[in-house]
Amino acid sequence: MPPHLTPARFVTFAVMAASALAAGCSSSTDQMRVTLATPAAAKAFDPADTTDRSQYRYLYAVYCNGRVDRLDLKNQAKTGSFQLSERSGSPAAIAALPRPGVRPGGCLARPVVTQDAQDSSDGVVNIVASSRLDPDADGRKPYQLLTFALPGWTLQQARNLGSFDALPRLARAADGTLAIQPQDKDTAAAMAAQAGARTAADAMAWTSAQAWSAGNVLLIYALPGQRGTGAALALGAEARIVHLAEFRSGGNDIPPDLHLAPGGRFVLASLKRSVPLGAGLRKVEATGELRLYGADGRQTRVLNQASLAGSVLARSRPGSLDPDQPRTDNDWFNVALTPGGLAVFTDRRGNYQFIALGQPFDSAPVMDDAQDDADGARPGLVYAAR
């Protein structure tokens, strides 16, 4: 993998690289179930309905600017939103934004995600957060580990972690406590190297681990001797690699956005295409088509949703993005694949779409190596029963 191409930057690279989807994919046009989140009263609690008591009934989307959106996954609606700064004590342990729309200099709040059962199942959630909006002159700012009680998000305790130039990552130590991981530890590189030793890895010139769950890794890789990339699942327990699709340079299509499902045995692809605008300009356009791949590398479902389709951004010339091209109102991002089988999309303006995929997933959390959420497209996820 080229040294300058970190996993976080690979997404930009993939968007800029013109390429075509491999042939042979299903063309089914099954209509997806979709709900645009609007203010609505939640249905009454039904004690006989087990989904009302499920620890995955609600999803809290925690954004880096400190905003939290509460989503009712059963009723498929956004039911509330608040700023963590308002619930983090006095003085606030999480910096408050001076006005709406201000971007902090680095992530203000991010849930701790570990490979074991999520803390929210015990009615608490751990957040790594900073009381400083911007870093010091040396690029560092202080962080704390904050423990909140659900569902009220009441601050229970705070623990100083020190000053860092990026939001620190925590993992479970042998004694069960949360410990800071070394800053030079590149988990994504380690995952990619581990996957590279498995069967079928010789078909990959370099690999980038995009996400992992339950010992399974979603990989993006270069095709040896070709100008293109491919996607694969490295299945840990089976010690093998399953190729999902190939994307070769050329044509008017670009690689889709890929999202690993909890448990790491399914991948959702959101398809995009490149459309000429004239005068050497091209734009990237979401097609509204979603393809779900299983652990055998085959498509299990193809869904089409017009509400996801539309222009995303423009490219001034092949291989370069036009930074002045505004994003459109129909710029939807997948922020979660839930254990219950929902694909949750946001337009980064507080609106959501919930799409039933017809396939439940495991509950093991999905992890990646991204540190920030500056564009509001990938919040931290906290599931809870209330």
Side-chain angles (χ1 to χ4, degrees):
M1 178 177 180
H4 65 283
L5 197 57
T6 65
R9 295 189 181 121
F10 184 83
V11 175
T12 302
F13 165 81
V15 170
M16 293 190 296
S19 44
L21 285 169
C25 296
S26 168
S27 60
S28 169
T29 56
D30 297 338
Q31 184 68 23
M32 296 181 293
R33 180 185 180 192
V34 58
T35 301
L36 288 174
T38 56
K43 296 179 182 178
F45 176 80
D46 181 1
D49 188 345
T50 57
T51 59
D52 276 337
R53 301 190 301 274
S54 169
Q55 71 182 79
Y56 300 103
R57 163 72 187 270
Y58 293 97
L59 173 61
Y60 293 93
V62 183
Y63 291 88
C64 271
N65 63 4
R67 190 184 90 238
V68 179
D69 289 342
R70 182 178 185 263
L71 310 178
D72 183 339
L73 298 178
K74 179 185 177 183
N75 296 324
Q76 298 183 15
K78 175 182 171 182
T79 60
S81 183
F82 59 89
Q83 287 289 328
L84 276 175
S85 59
E86 301 169 355
R87 308 190 182 191
S88 62
S90 180
I94 298 177
L97 300 180
R99 59 186 181 279
V102 172
R103 286 188 177 183
C107 201
L108 292 179
R110 194 78 177 174
V112 176
V113 179
T114 61
Q115 293 284 8
D116 56 358
Q118 297 194 38
D119 293 330
S120 57
S121 63
D122 298 324
V124 299
V125 59
N126 288 303
I127 302 286
V128 176
S130 179
S131 60
R132 297 282 301 279
L133 194 67
D134 296 306
D136 293 326
D138 61 359
R140 301 164 69 89
K141 61 181 180 180
Y143 288 92
Q144 296 184 79
L145 175 62
L146 307 179
T147 301
F148 292 88
L150 301 178
W153 286 78
T154 305
L155 183 63
Q156 301 295 295
Q157 63 181 20
R159 170 183 142 202
N160 290 325
L161 297 175
S163 293
F164 302 89
D165 56 7
L167 185 140
R169 284 188 170 274
L170 279 70
R172 290 287 178 194
D175 61 1
T177 60
L178 290 170
I180 298 174
Q181 291 183 296
Q183 284 190 292
D184 58 356
K185 182 177 181 180
D186 190 339
T187 307
M191 287 288 181
Q194 180 180 346
R198 295 175 182 157
T199 304
D202 56 351
M204 303 181 293
W206 56 257
T207 59
S208 171
Q210 301 296 287
W212 47 93
S213 178
N216 303 318
V217 186
L218 171 61
L219 298 170
I220 300 295
Y221 61 88
L223 300 169
Q226 303 179 50
R227 296 180 57 205
T229 58
L233 271 178
L235 303 174
E238 301 168 34
R240 65 188 180 96
I241 291 177
V242 176
H243 295 271
L244 303 181
E246 291 182 351
F247 320 112
R248 289 185 169 81
S249 298
N252 291 327
D253 291 335
I254 65 172
D257 293 334
L258 300 176
H259 305 277
L260 187 66
R265 297 186 68 83
F266 290 88
V267 176
L268 184 70
S270 303
L271 270 62
K272 297 180 179 180
R273 63 189 168 206
S274 176
V275 179
L277 296 175
L281 294 174
R282 303 187 73 89
K283 69 177 179 179
V284 175
E285 186 175 82
T287 68
E289 181 176 344
L290 303 179
R291 296 177 180 176
L292 187 65
Y293 292 87
D296 59 0
R298 299 178 181 178
Q299 293 180 47
T300 65
R301 193 163 279 101
V302 178
L303 306 171
N304 289 276
Q305 180 57 46
S307 63
L308 293 176
S311 300
V312 177
L313 48 85
R315 295 189 293 164
S316 58
R317 288 174 181 77
S320 63
L321 295 176
D322 180 357
D324 297 322
Q325 177 69 19
R327 292 183 178 274
T328 68
D329 290 337
N330 212 45
D331 190 7
W332 292 92
F333 292 83
N334 177 252
V335 294
L337 297 178
T338 73
L342 288 177
V344 182
F345 287 79
T346 183
D347 63 356
R348 303 180 305 167
R349 296 172 176 83
N351 301 308
Y352 292 85
Q353 292 192 48
F354 303 84
I355 301 169
L357 299 176
Q359 171 64 58
F361 304 120
D362 192 90
S363 60
V366 176
M367 306 180 71
D368 59 40
D369 215 30
Q371 291 280 351
D372 211 335
D373 178 37
D375 63 357
R378 51 173 314 279
L381 307 178
V382 175
Y383 290 98
R386 294 184 292 166

